[in-house]
């Protein structure tokens, strides 16, 4: 039996404009499920037989593109925890209203009615770039418009990926520098 | 793994005891030294008031949301302050997902006790119109990283966040019985007192540790929390079981805690001033 | 001091029980164990303690859960938990009537119920509540009305062994440290009467058993 992933996204009660009750609402449950779907296809589960990987995300403040941010945070945390993944997973969100595209929308932009949002989670450096999760919500969309949005989101993911990679690298260098300095002077 | 790490993993008790024999703790502190405090206010824009506090590695965040509610029949001219502590599994593997555990509930009740017994804020100040409208302040404390001493950290965060709150002015029209909120005009809360807590872990009859880390709490047997006001008077003593103490040690705790009050309150003031600049 | 009264083995089906009253405050405690434990609560080196507190009216809320936690931490120190690894000891406390001293009455009821169940303890323990009036006098075992008028109230749980060892302390309201020490001292003096009362009740129980 290969490994299992447990995901829980918790939003702090003060993270939204209206206070959220401490019990998880449907939105948090939905996000937890979507995050789980994304991570299940990213983690090399065969390497963790009979075990479970718990991923907990705490949202401190919501200013739009929440699911994308959760995916990126979870991806970085997985790498920090030395868990085998196919590639560093990053998430991005694109909003479109009429002909206008909003990359990485803010909360006020999300809250306006008659808009469409596309969130993807992808691993850009695995097999030429693979999408792990794609969520389109609220509204109808023409196929050609969707592909345009997808391109924009993929482009955003690529940019995020290089930033995330750099973050990991800096962290690694700092850790190495710290451990070499502490081991040289016992 | 270095030999020190091996020792810590396989013989945690003897590892820890050896430090105490040299009057030191594994993090390098003496037995009666506090950890450095780092406070930032106004860290969450979605809340009316907020603060992030770091006590060593312990990080807590307090966000205060204000809502307009109807006062109770018993106290028609009083608002509400509802402290709530959330310990998500993110901050430590000690905590599980689901309904709040024993620790979170104990902390929420502790914060509530401190607010009422110190009279931090008069509930009548939160009233907008008697019997009709009153402010309800939800003070949610979220732990981001757990490394012991949540009592002190959450009270500091709560007090700093309360001092950061800006409530919009509300005018009440008696004839139409309607309240109008004017968000452009905001007022801070009138805080009467500023309590500060100090927590000690009891290790044995003669050894007490100030400002415990998670390791200290695990190795020790029970905590004492004393809450003092600016003038040095007692506001709350909370000792839920644990190793028994005699009153001589209480003297020692109170003396240490008195110094702490000034230190913490000036740190909060500094953080608030930094925000205003 | 208010009148203390206690009836041991009040319930027939539990391993030990006690109905304890201080003035108008009545609490009923029942102890079961050491017995079966859920796998998730099983501890390899000691017995798991569970305290359940139900209020006289309404549901168990934050206040009750916090009380449970305080009682559990107190009892944990007295019981020799390491004697019974991989077991659970259940303590259920039902608040029957409350007049400001719910915590004291339930802690004392728990102690008597544990004695009745014959669970090994390193010490017995007794809770005493006091409040201090604006004039500065200390009232032992106050009523709800007296607490409302007082500046501060405090509850202490003392061990019977050792010198004035405080197991649990809980104080609310503003007072100076000198006043606090005065409260502590008077409560400690009062606790001796409670321990004497415990002794009388236990002696009576075993006398009755010997006769029957």
């Amino acid at each position: 039996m290969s490994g299992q992933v447990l995901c829980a996204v918790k939003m702090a009660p003060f993270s939204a404009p209206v206070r959220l009750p401490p019990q998880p609402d449907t939105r948090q449950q939905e996000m937890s499920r979507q995050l789980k779907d994304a991570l299940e296809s990213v983690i090399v589960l065969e390497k963790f037989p009979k075990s479970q990987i718990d991923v907990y995300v705490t949202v401190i403040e919501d200013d739009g593109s929440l699911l994308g941010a959760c995916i990126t945070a979870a991806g970085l945390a997985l790498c920090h925890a030395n868990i085998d993944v196919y590639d560093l997973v990053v998430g991005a969100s694109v909003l479109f209203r009429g002909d206008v595209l909003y990359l990485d929308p803010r909360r006020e932009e999300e809250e306006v009615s008659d808009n469409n949002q596309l969130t993807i989670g992808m691993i850009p450096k695995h097999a030429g770039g693979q999408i792990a999760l794609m969520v389109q919500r609220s509204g109808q969309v023409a196929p050609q418009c969707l592909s345009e949005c997808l391109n924009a989101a993929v482009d955003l993911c690529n940019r995020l990926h290089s930033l995330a990679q750099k973050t990991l690298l800096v962290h690694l260098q700092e850790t190495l520098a710290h451990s070499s300095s502490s081991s040289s002077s016992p | 793994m270095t030999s020190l790490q091996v020792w810590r993993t396989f013989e945690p008790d003897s590892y820890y005891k050896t430090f105490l024999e040299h009057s030191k703790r594994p993090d390098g502190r003496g037995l009666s030294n506090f950890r450095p405090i780092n406070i930032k206010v106004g860290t969450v824009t979605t809340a009316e008031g907020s603060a992030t506090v770091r006590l060593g590695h312990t990080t807590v965040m307090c966000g205060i949301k204000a809502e307009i509610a109807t006062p109770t029949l018993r106290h028609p001219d009083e608002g509400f302050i509802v402290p709530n502590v959330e310990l998500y599994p993110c901050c430590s593997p000690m905590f599980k997902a689901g309904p709040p555990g024993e620790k979170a509930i104990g902390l929420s009740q502790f914060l509530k006790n401190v607010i009422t017994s110190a009279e931090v804020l008069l509930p009548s100040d939160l009233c907008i119109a008697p019997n009709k409208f009153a402010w309800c302040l939800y003070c949610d404390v979220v732990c981001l990283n757990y490394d012991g001493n949540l009592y002190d950290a959450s009270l500091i965060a709560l007090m700093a966040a309360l001092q950061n709150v800006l409530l919009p002015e509300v005018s009440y029209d008696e004839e139409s019985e309607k309240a109008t909120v004017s968000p452009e005009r905001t007022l801070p809360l009138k805080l009467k007192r500023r309590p500060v807590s100090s927590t000690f872990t009891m290790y044995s009859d003669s050894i007490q540790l100030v400002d415990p880390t998670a390791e200290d709490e695990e190795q020790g047997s029970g905590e004492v929390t004393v809450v003092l006001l600016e003038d040095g008077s007692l506001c709350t003593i909370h000792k839920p079981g644990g190793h028994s103490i005699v009153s001589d040690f209480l003297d020692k705790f109170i003396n240490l805690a008195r110094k702490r009050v000034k230190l913490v309150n000036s740190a909060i003031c500094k953080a608030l001033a930094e925000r205003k600049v | 001091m208010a009148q203390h009264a206690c009836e041991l083995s009040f319930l027939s089906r539990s391993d030990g029980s006690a109905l304890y009253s201080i003035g108008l405050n009545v609490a009923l405690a029942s102890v079961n164990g050491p017995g079966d434990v859920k796998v998730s609560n099983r501890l390899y080196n000691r017995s798991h303690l569970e305290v359940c507190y139900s209020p006289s009216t309404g549901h168990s809320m934050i206040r009750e859960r916090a009380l449970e936690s305080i009682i559990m931490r107190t009892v944990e120190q007295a019981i020799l938990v390491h004697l019974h690894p991989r077991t659970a000891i259940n303590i259920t406390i039902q608040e029957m009537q409350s007049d400001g001293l719910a915590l004291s009455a339930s802690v004392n009821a728990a102690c008597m119920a544990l004695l009745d169940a014959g669970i090994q303890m390193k010490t017995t323990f007794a809770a005493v509540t006091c409040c201090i009036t604006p004039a500065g006098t200390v009232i032992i075992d106050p009523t709800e009305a007296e607490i409302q008028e007082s500046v501060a109230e405090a509850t202490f749980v003392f061990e019977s062994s050792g010198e004035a060892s405080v197991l649990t302390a809980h104080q609310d309201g503003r007072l100076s440290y000198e006043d606090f020490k005065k409260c502590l001292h008077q409560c400690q003096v009062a606790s001796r009467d409670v321990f004497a009362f415990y002794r009388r009740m236990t002696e009576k129980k075993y006398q009755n058993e010997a006769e029957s």
Side-chain angles (χ1 to χ4, degrees), chain B residues 224-247:
Chain B
V224 189
T225 305
V226 294
V227 185
L228 298 186
L229 299 172
E230 296 106 307
D231 60 357
S233 61
L234 269 177
C235 147
T236 299
I237 283 193
H238 186 67
K239 181 187 182 299
H243 203 288
S244 58
I245 49 166
V246 285
S247 58

Side-chain angles (χ1 to χ4, degrees), chain C residues 117-132:
Chain C
I119 289 182
Q120 290 104 315
M121 295 197 279
K122 26 177 204 243
T123 172
T124 50
F125 50 93
V128 181
T129 301
C130 72
C131 73
I132 189 156

Side-chain angles (χ1 to χ4, degrees), chain A residues 11-112:
Chain A
M11 292 179 77
F14 50 77
S15 60
V18 178
R19 183 182 184 259
L20 300 163
Q23 300 85 356
D25 56 7
T26 43
R27 185 180 176 212
Q28 289 172 48
Q29 285 167 4
E30 194 184 318
M31 278 206 298
S32 306
R33 210 164 41 240
Q34 286 161 344
L35 183 64
K36 178 174 180 258
D37 288 345
L39 296 184
E40 267 176 346
S41 56
V42 166
I43 301 170
V44 190
L45 288 171
E46 293 75 37
K47 287 214 176 186
F48 304 96
K50 293 183 193 166
S51 43
Q52 176 172 293
I53 298 163
D54 295 350
V55 181
Y56 298 109
V57 181
T58 305
V59 179
I60 296 166
E61 193 176 340
D62 170 21
D63 192 23
S65 315
L66 192 54
L67 183 59
C70 288
I71 292 172
T72 313
L76 279 165
L78 283 172
C79 291
H80 187 226
N82 290 335
I83 285 172
D84 295 77
V85 286
Y86 293 110
D87 184 21
L88 178 55
V89 62
V90 286
S93 181
V94 176
L95 195 111
F96 47 103
R97 187 181 320 127
D99 308 332
V100 194
L101 262 187
Y102 295 81
L103 289 179
D104 204 5
R106 302 194 51 179
R107 196 186 56 234
E108 296 96 80
E109 291 160 350
E110 280 183 356
E111 276 167 359
V112 180

Side-chain angles (χ1 to χ4, degrees), chain C residues 21-58:
Chain C
S21 70
I22 307 173
L24 291 175
N25 304 274
V26 187
L28 172 66
S30 131
V31 171
N32 282 303
D36 255 1
V37 59
K38 267 201 296 190
V39 180
S40 56
N41 291 333
R42 190 178 293 167
L43 301 168
Y44 71 94
N45 61 347
R46 50 163 285 189
S47 157
H48 172 77
L49 264 181
E50 231 171 67
V51 175
C52 177
Y53 183 94
S54 9
S56 53
T57 52

Side-chain angles (χ1 to χ4, degrees), chain B residues 140-163:
Chain B
D140 291 290
V141 178
V142 171
C143 179
L144 302 181
N145 192 21
Y146 177 74
D147 192 20
N149 204 358
L150 273 180
Y151 282 97
D152 290 10
S154 43
L155 187 62
I156 298 171
L158 175 68
M159 289 311 297
L162 276 174
Q163 290 174 60

Side-chain angles (χ1 to χ4, degrees), chain B residues 8-263:
Chain B
R8 187 180 208 159
T9 315
F10 287 93
E11 293 276 356
D13 297 356
S14 95
Y15 172 84
Y16 191 80
K17 211 171 160 189
T18 314
F19 273 96
L20 288 190
E21 278 163 8
H22 294 85
S23 295
K24 276 265 184 277
R25 282 188 261 180
D27 59 356
R29 277 187 296 159
L31 302 187
S32 51
N33 291 92
F34 291 95
R35 287 177 283 184
I37 309 171
N38 196 333
I39 307 171
K40 280 264 185 315
V41 295
T43 39
V44 183
T45 56
T46 44
E48 269 71 33
S50 59
T52 308
V53 171
R54 291 191 63 139
L55 213 67
H57 291 296
T58 299
T59 313
V60 295
M61 202 164 203
C62 176
I64 298 179
K65 301 282 296 175
E67 281 177 18
I68 294 181
T70 324
T72 53
L73 285 174
R74 196 181 286 240
H75 304 287
D77 58 345
E78 288 187 1
F80 312 89
I81 309 171
V82 190
N84 172 43
V85 180
E86 298 273 343
L87 301 174
Y88 297 136
C90 240
C91 66
S92 164
M94 252 170 79
F95 308 117
K96 299 277 173 283
E102 185 201 324
K103 212 169 180 127
I105 295 224
L107 272 163
S108 303
Q109 183 70 20
F110 166 76
L111 291 180
K112 200 176 157 148
N113 282 346
V114 171
I115 290 175
T116 45
S117 73
E119 288 190 313
V120 172
L121 185 63
L122 285 182
S124 51
D125 281 350
L126 293 173
C127 182
I128 299 164
N131 265 322
K132 295 285 176 208
F133 301 110
W135 283 111
C136 177
L137 299 180
Y138 289 103
C139 314
D140 291 290
V141 178
V142 171
C143 179
L144 302 181
N145 192 21
Y146 177 74
D147 192 20
N149 204 358
L150 273 180
Y151 282 97
D152 290 10
S154 43
L155 187 62
I156 298 171
L158 175 68
M159 289 311 297
L162 276 174
Q163 290 174 60
N164 178 240
V165 168
L166 285 176
L167 288 181
E169 210 175 64
V170 182
S171 50
Y172 176 70
D173 185 41
E174 296 232 340
E175 279 180 16
S176 61
E177 295 195 341
K178 268 186 185 158
T180 15
V181 183
S182 35
E184 63 278 4
R185 293 228 302 224
T186 53
L187 290 167
L189 293 172
K190 278 179 249 148
L191 295 195
K192 280 181 72 186
R193 291 187 186 83
R194 295 183 296 164
V196 173
S197 71
S198 310
T199 301
F200 307 86
T201 285
M202 294 156 288
Y203 182 77
S204 64
D205 281 334
S206 54
I207 300 177
Q208 281 85 23
L209 312 160
V210 164
D211 191 7
T213 59
E215 191 181 9
D216 295 336
E217 285 181 358
E218 208 172 291
Q219 290 286 335
S221 52
E223 277 86 48
V224 189
T225 305
V226 294
V227 185
L228 298 186
L229 299 172
E230 296 106 307
D231 60 357
S233 61
L234 269 177
C235 147
T236 299
I237 283 193
H238 186 67
K239 181 187 182 299
H243 203 288
S244 58
I245 49 166
V246 285
S247 58
D248 297 357
F249 285 114
L250 271 177
D251 295 344
K252 199 177 109 189
F253 293 162
I254 298 284
N255 282 334
L256 279 168
R258 282 200 174 129
K259 286 180 203 143
R260 173 96 158 155
V261 174
K262 290 191 192 83
L263 208 88

